[in-house]
Amino acid sequence: MAPTLYHNWPVPITDKSESMSSSQKLKCLEWLGILLIPVVLALFVALIIFVVKANSKACQDGLRVEQECHNVTSLLERQLTQTWQALQGTMDQATTCNKTVVTLSASLEKEKAWGQEQLTREEKLQGEIETLKQQLQGALEEVKQLRKGKEASSKERETSSVSSLKAPPGSVVVPMYLLLGLRALLA
């Protein structure tokens, strides 16, 4: 590393040089004072203008409007929060409704299947009823024929004997049971 050389210039210390520097200091202070006074006056005037404008009606109106705007903004934020909460509640209700719809749809499908099953059973029963009606019609025809035959034989018996007027009780009971069974099926 190369050696660093410092050279100090000799400063003569004398009374004469000190007095010059104090006069120079005074001149600097004078200049500084001359420059600072207009700056201070300008700042003071600016402060007065600012205070006057700050207390003016327009500024007061602006502050009032700003406060109203802040109040309206706060109100709108509260309303937005309430609306958001209501929306969340509505979305929860919609979710619940959707679940209910799914449940009801499943129940409806079960009911449709049950209804189809009932229709099938009803058609089957209608077929059986038709068959029974035909059988009953056939039985009624037989009863009519038997009655006609009985009436014919009764007339023959009446003519032949008075004691045979009474009909046996079993022959009348069977058609009555058939008629009662038919009424029960139709009802």
Side-chain angles (χ1 to χ4, degrees):
M1 192 149 104
T4 308
L5 298 173
Y6 290 102
H7 181 55
N8 292 332
W9 297 99
V11 179
I13 301 176
T14 61
D15 290 356
K16 196 176 182 184
S17 67
E18 283 183 18
S19 67
M20 280 178 61
S21 72
S22 63
S23 71
Q24 285 177 347
K25 286 182 185 179
L26 280 175
K27 281 188 180 186
C28 280
L29 285 175
E30 285 176 11
W31 278 104
L32 189 60
I34 291 171
L35 290 174
L36 279 177
I37 289 173
V39 171
V40 169
L41 284 175
L43 287 174
F44 186 68
V45 169
L47 181 64
I48 289 173
I49 291 171
F50 175 73
V51 169
V52 168
K53 284 190 176 186
N55 289 327
S56 70
K57 184 176 183 198
C59 189
Q60 294 297 326
D61 289 344
L63 286 173
R64 182 180 48 77
V65 167
E66 183 181 352
Q67 185 63 36
E68 288 176 4
C69 182
H70 178 70
N71 291 342
V72 168
T73 303
S74 297
L75 176 66
L76 288 174
E77 285 176 350
R78 283 193 304 269
Q79 288 177 346
L80 179 64
T81 303
Q82 291 172 351
T83 303
W84 183 253
Q85 290 172 349
L87 178 64
Q88 288 294 333
T90 304
M91 289 173 69
D92 291 343
Q93 288 177 348
T95 302
T96 304
C97 287
N98 287 340
K99 289 179 182 176
T100 304
V101 165
V102 168
T103 304
L104 289 176
S105 294
S107 296
L108 180 63
E109 290 300 319
K110 288 180 183 176
E111 287 295 322
K112 282 182 180 179
W114 184 78
Q116 285 291 57
E117 182 181 313
Q118 292 300 318
L119 280 175
T120 305
R121 287 180 66 190
E122 183 179 345
E123 288 172 359
K124 182 180 176 183
L125 289 175
Q126 286 292 339
E128 289 178 10
I129 288 173
E130 288 299 320
T131 305
L132 289 175
K133 279 183 181 178
Q134 290 173 359
Q135 289 176 355
L136 183 61
Q137 286 294 333
L140 286 175
E141 289 297 321
E142 281 184 40
V143 167
K144 283 183 183 177
Q145 288 176 1
L146 288 175
R147 276 190 190 163
K148 285 181 183 177
K150 278 230 175 205
E151 286 176 4
S153 67
S154 293
K155 286 182 183 177
E156 287 176 12
R157 284 186 189 172
E158 265 181 30
T159 54
S160 60
S161 118
V162 176
S163 64
S164 63
L165 276 177
K166 291 186 177 179
S171 63
V172 176
V173 173
V174 171
M176 291 300 277
Y177 282 131
L178 286 175
L179 283 175
L180 287 174
L182 177 63
R183 276 193 180 177
L185 283 176
L186 294 177

